[in-house]
Amino acid sequence: MEGPMAGAEALFRERAERHMLRFGGRFVPFVPVRATGSFVYDAAGRKVLDFTSGQMSAILGHAHPEIADVIGHAARTLDHLFSSMLSPPVVDLAEALAAQVPGLPKVLLLSTGGEANEAAIKIAKLVTGGWEVVGFAQSWHGMTGGAAAATYKAGRRGYGPPAVGSFAIPAPLSFRPRFGGVDWRAELDDSFALIDRQSSGNLAAFIAEPILSSGGIIELPEGYLAALKRKCEERGMKLILDEAQTGLGRTGTMFAFERDGVTPDLLVLSKTLGAGLPLAAVLTTREIGLECDARDFLFYTTHANDPLPAAVGCKVVEIVLRDRLAARAAAMGAKLKAGLRTLQAEHSWIGDVRGRGLLLGLEFIDEAAGRRRSAAELSDAVTDRALELGLSANIVRAGSSGGVMRIAPPLTVSEEEIALGLALLGQAMREVG
């Protein structure tokens, strides 16, 4: 890039460096000014294929015309209210979500996944009377108090002690099992035996992602959720499932837990529910709702039950169901996964391809003979080169899962866009390798 455009970009970067506080990793060297469908564009018109759906959220692509119409109408008519003043879009969305999970008819609408996980944890503590919360050692559930205490993937150092009663167990990963010859059932039994020894008898909840995304696309094996639910029931704990990234069709079913036939006590949705706008929800049972009322549950926030994002959520649910996007995610995900496995066969330093639907991961390995770079260095280099070529894929750069590339295109992605993404990723791998 040369001339005035280059000068404007340099000035923008200088202003950003002067004023923007880093909050995790570095900012990418691409400055988007507009986005549509599966692409984002800079001021010079250069386009980048977005294989992360923004922050894993834009499941309908960018600037979806129906979503834009809903936002415009809501902005002109009913955008924000006193939180206790219920509006039709709020009740409509609660009803639409409850219809998808009949066992969880009570709904609280919030803004972010971290906020919703915070609320779910507080509910579990309130209704059980306990305060101990167990999660996975590779988890990411948010950056606020209780959610951060249940996040083990990164960010635990430098902020003082987390909430009392925070425990972690390892999530099962068949590609890198913790102990050879020990299956996930034995590992789960051993983990809970250790939890029982550490617990003071006040276990309140287990919080889990069905597929740990930031943890490195770790998919819980079939049967695991059912076994985990039994462990919770035996101890009077509530099972919280965080489906911020897996909810609303991304894994090939409306919710990831449907594959296992297990309904949690509390279900958390965010990211995908707003298709890019800040919207989250906590769903729970009628019994837990009644207990919350009896015990004066308090989680009052400025943007609880806001009508504008609720109207968007209603349209998102409508489109996902109407256009059968869960089935589309399964079909498109199968094509994408096949292409990634072809790349794996070409490069010895790609150790594993995993995930479900359109939430997939590539794990780079540093065991390949003759390699002088670590898996994290290889994966970072591939990601950086892919962006230069016109593909935005996401490397988990922080914490314990560096070296795993997350790929999550919009559910509206076309076959041609999948082919383009695979071609750009393949080129980046060849050039880096």
Side-chain angles (χ1 to χ4, degrees), residues 107-385:
V107 181
L108 170 63
L109 298 180
L110 298 165
S111 298
T112 69
E115 184 183 40
N117 281 326
E118 194 79 32
I121 289 170
K122 287 194 73 172
I123 289 171
K125 289 181 176 181
L126 182 67
V127 301
T128 63
W131 61 81
E132 296 172 336
V133 177
V134 187
F136 286 123
Q138 304 93 323
S139 61
W140 185 292
H141 296 295
M143 292 286 96
T144 58
T151 293
Y152 293 91
K153 192 261 177 181
R156 296 188 71 84
R157 291 178 174 82
Y159 309 101
V164 173
S166 299
F167 300 111
I169 69 170
L173 177 56
S174 60
F175 179 64
R176 294 185 185 276
R178 289 175 60 82
F179 304 104
V182 178
D183 72 2
W184 64 260
R185 296 169 185 83
E187 188 174 278
L188 183 62
D189 288 342
D190 290 344
S191 295
F192 265 87
L194 187 58
I195 291 296
D196 289 339
R197 287 185 176 274
Q198 296 176 82
S199 170
S200 63
N202 292 280
L203 290 165
F206 194 108
I207 183 168
E209 302 165 88
I211 299 176
L212 285 74
S213 178
S214 292
I217 309 295
I218 301 174
E219 182 178 9
L220 300 181
E222 196 160 0
Y224 192 97
L225 279 180
L228 181 58
K229 182 72 179 292
R230 288 193 295 272
K231 296 289 188 188
C232 290
E233 290 172 344
E234 290 166 359
R235 292 161 178 79
M237 304 167 69
K238 302 304 179 186
L239 176 61
I240 303 168
L241 288 187
D242 176 359
E243 292 227 22
Q245 296 191 32
T246 56
L248 273 74
R250 180 168 288 287
T251 66
T253 54
M254 192 64 170
F255 306 104
F257 69 77
E258 292 178 23
R259 184 201 67 175
D260 296 79
V262 174
T263 301
D265 299 296
L266 296 116
L267 172 64
V268 172
L269 305 173
S270 62
K271 290 185 182 290
T272 58
L273 181 58
L277 267 70
L279 175 62
V282 180
L283 283 68
T284 193
T285 65
R286 190 172 308 280
E287 293 73 21
I288 290 177
L290 290 172
E291 197 65 29
C292 284
D293 290 343
R295 301 191 182 201
D296 296 325
F297 172 61
L298 178 65
F299 200 85
Y300 216 101
T301 71
T302 302
H303 295 287
N305 296 330
D306 259 357
L308 188 154
V312 170
C314 289
K315 180 58 69 172
V316 171
V317 173
E318 176 191 328
I319 293 171
V320 169
L321 293 173
R322 182 195 70 201
D323 296 348
R324 302 183 70 248
L325 293 185
R328 180 180 178 81
M332 291 292 138
K335 294 179 184 296
L336 180 56
K337 200 172 199 178
L340 294 176
R341 283 183 170 149
T342 298
L343 293 177
Q344 179 187 18
E346 296 173 3
H347 301 281
S348 61
W349 31 268
I350 300 176
D352 195 26
V353 177
R354 56 181 181 260
R356 203 186 327 161
L358 285 173
L359 182 59
L360 300 175
L362 280 177
E363 178 158 350
F364 290 67
I365 57 174
D366 52 16
E367 291 91 339
R371 295 291 168 192
R372 295 185 178 182
R373 286 180 288 186
S374 69
E377 289 170 334
L378 274 171
S379 56
D380 285 355
V382 170
T383 291
D384 292 342
R385 182 57 185 146

Side-chain angles (χ1 to χ4, degrees), residues 1-19:
M1 186 185 300
E2 299 178 356
M5 195 68 70
E9 183 170 325
L11 178 60
F12 177 85
R13 296 190 188 288
E14 179 185 323
R15 292 168 53 218
E17 183 65 27
R18 186 163 60 246
H19 296 295

